[in-house]
Amino acid sequence: MKVLRALLICSLTAALSAAPSPPKKAAHPDIFLVTIDTLRADHVHCYGYRNIQTPALDGLAQDGIRFTQAFTPSPITNTSHTTILTGLLPSSHGVTDFAVPLAATHPTWAELLHAHAYHTAAFIGAVILDSKTLAPGLDRGFDFYDNFPEHSHTKSRWGRVERRGMDVVLRAETWLSAHSQGPRFVWVHLYDPHDPYEPPAPYSQIYKDRLYDGEIAYADSALANFIGFLKKHGWYDNSLMVVVGDHGEGLGEHREDTHGIFLYDSTTHIPLILKLPGETARKAKVVEAQVRTTDILPTVLDLARVTAPAKLDGESLQPVLTGTDTDASERIALGETDYPLRFGWAPLRSVRTRGLKFIEAPRPELYDLQADAAELNNQYEPWNAQVKNLRGMLAGLRAKAPPPAPSQGVVGQGTIDELKALGYLGKADVGSATNVPEPSLLPDPKDKIEEQNLLHLAMIASEDDRAADARRSLQKVLQLDPKSPTALRQLGELELRAGDYVNSAQHLKAALEVRPDDATAAFYEGQVLEKTHDLPGARDALEASLKLMPGQFEARLLLGQVYLGLKNPNAAQDQFEAALLLQSSSIEGQLGVAKAQIAEGNFNQAAQQLESLSKSQSRNAAVFELLAQAYTGLGKKVEAEQAEARAKLLRGKT
Ligand SMILES: [Zn+2]
């Protein structure tokens, strides 16, 4: 096949060089990448869906090339976007979970263009792609990467974890206006179609019975605004534009409500539209060949005349664009999802050829896509020659997969909360793929999808402060699987927040019996035992949690307090100092060290530390209360009284 392709490309090159030279155009065009989150190909008007209006996407397809059979290897946002931006499969770039840093050895789209004098900027619609927390390394090569504010003052999801498409687009337009000299590469991420489905008016009314479609129509209107802006400034015609979905949405097919667990076409078939720069654009071209999102980067580099990295998992679509490459229909689309691992279920791998789809799972699946496009009739038989062939393709994939990423340990509570706000399982030990048993021994996600739907509903309900709804969903999960460690832990956390410590402790104990290495459940157990004044129990739970995940700042602080309560100031000081290693500016950590020093009778050091702290914390009563204790210990009566008076004054005012 490789030889055939090489021959085709050679003959094509010869044909092209014989053709009259094309009109002049800039060597490096402006490049605009728009990714639309959670966008199923079959819910876009120009892809044949008649119940929606998507004029911007349709118009772009009129001006460019629409790929009817484009596939993402990953059904999860950050993994899928990393693939688009690196041209690598998830098993190659290694970003197979939230907060896993993209290794510096993998050049990104922005880096490659930046090296060719491109001005680069990224505008993201959800915190899931924030390079400070959940997508470290994705900002590499961007002059400007529009992260979310570190400390958000709003409880609303808007601006804190998500931005409306129009907000994202306006931010991009502002940047473009301020950077009018090309060439520029701008990536715009429209998160709107991701659940929960809450389109603004009038889309909430027009599509009131189909809110997912309403979100798509709204995202399309944001795209229309962006394209209109580019046209107004005369930047559209000569630009190279790529619009692509990062993955689809289950919408109940195969019983999957959202996305992430399965590798069926419902979540891997995405729209891809390419508009070429200048007059060479072939209008309203439709490509039926199967292509992959790994092909986008090599294509863009090809079109922008930028040398591609030696190792990429996709291939330029240039031969397809010139219209003679029949070989392109042989591009094999691989699929990978490790998201089930977060729930303790088997990860999935898939391979899709023109007519067949094979999914490697504890119960493997084979579909004849010609006869069964909905992938409902599993034809798998282990001795089937086609299965052996397709399995061989996957074996190559596994062989080159890097070892599991080390546990991150530094993921903060804020990041976990953000994940939950977006409806993802907010485990603290994100990135930890260690201690995973042989995948084939784990439950098949097909047997667990109802549980996942309920867990997802519970997370969305918790985020909306609907504790009763969340509790009901989690209890339903326990009816399906009384030992679901995720449901037990989530219920434990829910009851902890609700103040029902007895129930909370019971659920967490049960969760830890099923999964003793769950650092987050152990941390919650430490919290609930501390609340019920079982200090030795809290100490043991927190020590266990920190042994599993040493980088938990909040757990260190709490363990320090517990040790103080246990009259073990030495151990308390160790914990506060460890917390300060994680967050050196933490006031709580510094106060904790001072408390421990006072309890140890080390008044001199405590006083010195507190005096220095009192300069920046001149309105913090706790600082002066402790200072009074330290001075008392040193026999400095006058200073002690002054500090006490200051503390009282500050308390009175607050
Ligand atoms: Zn996504």
Side-chain angles (χ1 to χ4, degrees):
M1 193 165 65
K2 275 249 149 75
V3 175
L4 177 63
R5 179 168 303 161
L7 280 173
L8 269 172
I9 291 170
C10 283
S11 57
L12 196 66
T13 316
L16 281 177
S17 54
S21 57
K24 271 202 168 152
K25 62 178 177 189
H28 293 312
D30 279 340
I31 299 176
F32 302 115
L33 166 68
V34 178
T35 56
I36 305 184
D37 218 287
T38 322
L39 184 58
R40 274 178 74 128
D42 61 1
H43 276 246
V44 176
H45 188 264
C46 60
Y47 277 77
Y49 188 51
R50 294 293 158 235
N51 294 331
I52 197 168
Q53 298 299 314
T54 51
L57 285 161
D58 300 359
L60 197 69
Q62 280 298 312
D63 292 346
I65 304 128
R66 181 171 68 85
F67 294 85
T68 65
Q69 297 293 309
F71 292 86
T72 172
S74 163
I76 275 284
T77 303
N78 62 336
T79 304
S80 162
H81 275 93
T82 307
T83 286
I84 294 169
L85 291 171
T86 60
L88 296 171
L89 286 165
S91 49
S92 298
H93 61 60
V95 181
T96 55
D97 203 345
F98 307 115
V100 175
L102 173 62
T105 43
H106 303 312
T108 68
W109 185 330
E111 275 179 305
L112 293 162
L113 293 185
H114 200 263
H116 283 76
Y118 269 80
H119 303 286
T120 52
F123 299 86
I124 54 169
V127 80
I128 205 96
L129 295 175
D130 193 306
S131 67
K132 292 193 315 306
T133 52
L134 289 163
L138 213 55
D139 58 339
R140 259 202 340 262
F142 284 107
D143 297 324
F144 178 69
Y145 195 97
D146 196 13
N147 278 326
F148 281 68
E150 215 152 320
H151 300 286
S152 180
H153 300 292
T154 167
K155 257 215 98 183
S156 153
R157 64 188 292 109
W158 307 112
R160 181 171 60 92
V161 296
E162 185 175 347
R163 287 179 185 132
R164 290 269 193 216
M166 204 61 89
D167 184 10
V168 177
V169 159
L170 291 177
R171 286 163 173 267
E173 292 172 6
T174 304
W175 187 91
L176 280 165
S177 297
H179 299 81
S180 54
Q181 294 303 308
R184 299 161 297 177
F185 166 50
V186 170
W187 165 35
V188 170
H189 167 236
L190 305 176
Y191 189 69
D192 303 271
H194 196 286
D195 82 312
Y197 313 128
E198 296 169 338
Y203 304 94
S204 52
Q205 274 102 49
I206 302 169
Y207 297 94
K208 66 176 189 298
D209 301 321
R210 291 173 292 119
L211 290 172
Y212 171 62
D213 290 347
E215 292 271 34
I216 294 172
Y218 168 67
D220 185 83
S221 76
L223 176 65
N225 184 292
F226 188 58
I227 291 174
F229 170 86
L230 296 178
K231 284 183 176 168
K232 194 179 86 189
H233 286 83
W235 295 332
Y236 176 78
D237 285 346
N238 283 316
S239 71
L240 168 58
M241 198 154 182
V242 181
V243 179
V244 62
D246 70 335
H247 52 76
E249 186 78 320
L251 301 178
E253 286 179 27
H254 307 278
R255 297 176 296 151
E256 185 179 42
D257 288 345
T258 57
H259 57 268
I261 299 289
F262 289 149
L263 293 171
Y264 300 111
D265 284 4
S266 46
T267 59
T268 57
H269 183 204
I270 39 91
L272 170 63
I273 300 170
L274 205 64
K275 187 202 78 69
L276 302 182
E279 294 164 78
T280 53
R282 280 152 203 271
K283 301 258 175 183
K285 187 177 163 71
V286 176
V287 173
E288 307 272 0
Q290 174 165 294
V291 301
R292 300 86 43 105
T293 57
T294 45
D295 298 328
I296 298 173
L297 178 65
T299 308
V300 168
L301 296 177
D302 207 349
L303 292 167
R305 296 168 201 187
V306 168
T307 312
K311 197 194 148 300
L312 286 176
D313 287 324
E315 291 166 87
S316 172
L317 294 165
Q318 183 85 294
V320 183
L321 306 185
T322 45
T324 46
D325 183 15
T326 50
D327 188 39
S329 58
E330 295 300 320
R331 287 168 198 249
I332 307 291
L334 296 168
E336 313 174 22
T337 180
D338 285 352
Y339 190 55
L341 275 175
R342 295 197 132 234
F343 303 86
W345 311 328
L348 301 178
R349 299 289 181 265
S350 69
V351 49
R352 193 187 197 283
T353 63
R354 210 177 339 169
L356 291 171
K357 169 84 117 350
F358 172 68
I359 301 171
E360 188 68 278
R363 294 203 317 284
E365 295 160 72
L366 177 70
Y367 298 102
D368 174 353
L369 299 171
Q370 308 289 344
D372 177 26
E375 302 167 276
L376 294 171
N377 188 9
N378 185 3
Q379 309 265 346
Y380 174 80
E381 282 169 343
W383 50 83
N384 184 324
Q386 285 170 324
V387 163
K388 283 184 187 157
N389 182 27
L390 293 162
R391 210 167 231 154
M393 295 178 190
L394 283 178
L397 181 71
R398 215 180 345 256
K400 76 184 174 82
S407 176
Q408 293 309 301
V410 290
V411 176
Q413 187 62 41
T415 306
I416 298 164
D417 292 343
E418 286 165 354
L419 267 181
K420 285 184 186 166
L422 294 171
Y424 294 103
L425 185 61
K427 267 171 74 180
D429 42 348
V430 287
S432 162
T434 47
N435 305 324
V436 172
E438 173 60 30
S440 59
L441 298 177
L442 293 169
D444 192 309
K446 290 191 284 295
D447 299 327
K448 295 289 183 181
I449 192 66
E450 310 282 8
E451 286 178 39
Q452 208 275 336
N453 291 334
L454 288 162
L455 289 168
H456 186 80
L457 283 178
M459 275 182 271
I460 298 288
S462 290
E463 173 60 18
D464 289 351
D465 283 331
R466 290 182 284 113
D469 290 347
R471 188 178 288 116
R472 203 170 309 124
S473 291
L474 292 169
Q475 279 161 350
K476 276 190 203 162
V477 177
L478 292 182
Q479 282 165 16
L480 295 169
D481 176 7
K483 290 193 165 186
S484 161
T486 311
L488 288 166
R489 186 187 60 208
Q490 299 289 104
L491 264 175
E493 189 200 2
L494 193 147
E495 304 302 4
L496 171 67
R497 307 276 170 253
D500 182 348
Y501 301 133
V502 175
N503 258 320
S504 171
Q506 273 175 5
H507 291 312
L508 292 169
K509 189 163 173 272
L512 285 161
E513 272 164 16
V514 183
R515 202 189 277 166
D517 62 349
D518 187 337
T520 311
F523 177 38
Y524 294 149
E525 191 183 43
Q527 291 179 52
V528 77
L529 294 175
E530 193 266 343
K531 293 274 188 205
T532 52
H533 310 292
D534 176 357
L535 295 186
R539 173 197 58 204
D540 294 348
L542 292 167
E543 287 282 13
S545 176
L546 285 162
K547 200 171 168 200
L548 291 162
M549 280 241 314
Q552 299 176 83
F553 170 75
E554 301 285 346
R556 293 269 172 217
L557 280 187
L558 184 60
L559 183 54
Q561 299 293 351
V562 167
Y563 273 124
L564 280 179
L566 287 166
K567 307 273 182 269
N568 187 346
N570 253 320
Q573 186 168 343
D574 285 350
Q575 292 306 322
F576 291 125
E577 281 171 355
L580 286 173
L581 284 178
L582 296 165
Q583 287 188 27
S584 58
S585 60
S586 161
I587 304 302
E588 263 186 291
Q590 294 179 57
L591 289 176
V593 170
K595 273 184 209 167
Q597 285 168 337
I598 290 168
E600 288 163 37
N602 193 352
F603 302 116
N604 205 15
Q605 272 193 320
Q608 276 176 18
Q609 203 220 328
L610 289 161
E611 278 164 8
S612 127
L613 188 60
S614 68
K615 286 173 196 144
S616 62
Q617 293 288 308
S618 61
R619 312 203 60 77
N620 187 332
V623 173
F624 293 93
E625 265 162 24
L626 287 175
L627 199 50
Q629 289 177 29
Y631 285 143
T632 306
L634 288 169
K636 294 183 170 177
K637 227 178 145 193
V638 180
E639 286 93 334
E641 276 168 14
Q642 280 172 351
E644 187 62 46
R646 173 95 184 138
K648 264 191 190 150
L649 186 73
L650 289 170
R651 280 229 185 282
K653 277 195 175 168
T654 55

